[in-house]
Amino acid sequence: MENAFVQQLKSQVTDLGTSLTQVGKLRLIGLVSRLLGLFLLLFTTVLLIFALLSFGAVACIHALSVHMPIWAAALIMGGLYLVLLLIVIACRRPLFVYPFIRLMNSEIRNWEDLERRTMEAEHQVELQRMRIEGHVDSATRTFTIYTDLLSRLWHFVLDKLHKA
């Protein structure tokens, strides 16, 4: 009986450890993908801003020159980079975050799936923690009952010995 209880408790603690590891892994994937995605977004934005400024400078120089088609072409290119920058900002998750999520865990495709899996793993941890608490409470109650019973029996025997 005691051995079965210990084995059951060991298996539940092992399951709890596995679930905690899964939660930690999923949270780490979320954190790292968010950080790397933000870094790549900022890096791309800075590069596109530099490109926009360089084309703007070229456009201003050529605007003052006699050749109108050169600055017009430079302004068109600057506008194209501005539109490209807006597209990158609008599509930052599919372009930067989701590839890192897929790189770290091939079963997860997007941010919503990562959040759902994290919630499922946290739920498993909570269920296993509650099971272990129930077993520990039950064992504690049983131990308390036995100690109370032994204590009463001991006091009963001592009272009989003192009266005799």
Side-chain angles (χ1 to χ4, degrees):
M1 163 122 170
E2 291 175 22
N3 193 20
F5 174 73
V6 170
Q7 290 297 329
Q8 184 181 16
L9 195 59
K10 266 177 47 177
S11 70
Q12 287 179 350
V13 168
T14 302
D15 291 342
L16 179 64
T18 304
S19 296
L20 285 172
T21 303
Q22 184 71 11
V23 168
K25 178 183 172 186
L26 293 173
R27 285 184 180 170
L28 182 66
I29 288 172
L31 178 71
V32 169
S33 63
R34 190 178 283 176
L35 288 174
L36 288 176
L38 183 62
F39 170 74
L40 286 176
L41 173 68
L42 291 174
F43 183 70
T44 303
T45 303
V46 167
L47 287 178
L48 289 175
I49 287 173
F50 283 149
L52 185 65
L53 291 175
S54 67
F55 281 111
V58 169
C60 287
I61 291 171
H62 287 294
L64 297 174
S65 70
V66 181
H67 305 285
M68 290 299 280
I70 294 175
W71 71 265
L75 285 177
I76 289 173
M77 288 302 297
L80 181 66
Y81 276 104
L82 184 62
V83 168
L84 188 60
L85 177 66
L86 294 175
I87 290 172
V88 165
I89 289 172
C91 300
R92 65 185 173 272
R93 279 193 176 173
L95 290 175
F96 302 113
V97 175
Y98 296 163
F100 284 107
I101 291 174
R102 271 184 252 125
L103 179 69
M104 289 185 234
N105 190 339
S106 61
E107 298 170 1
I108 299 173
R109 291 291 175 208
N110 56 29
W111 189 257
E112 291 78 21
D113 194 23
L114 178 64
E115 288 177 342
R116 184 182 55 80
R117 295 265 181 119
T118 303
M119 286 176 46
E120 287 173 1
E122 287 172 347
H123 179 67
Q124 287 297 322
V125 166
E126 187 64 25
L127 286 176
Q128 290 168 353
R129 186 189 62 77
M130 289 174 66
R131 272 190 217 120
I132 290 172
E133 278 183 10
H135 284 293
V136 169
D137 287 345
S138 175
T140 304
R141 239 180 275 120
T142 304
F143 180 74
T144 304
I145 289 171
Y146 286 141
T147 55
D148 285 347
L149 181 65
L150 286 174
S151 173
R152 288 179 186 204
L153 184 64
W154 181 253
H155 287 298
F156 177 74
V157 169
L158 285 178
D159 285 343
K160 289 295 183 184
L161 286 176
H162 287 290
K163 287 181 183 180

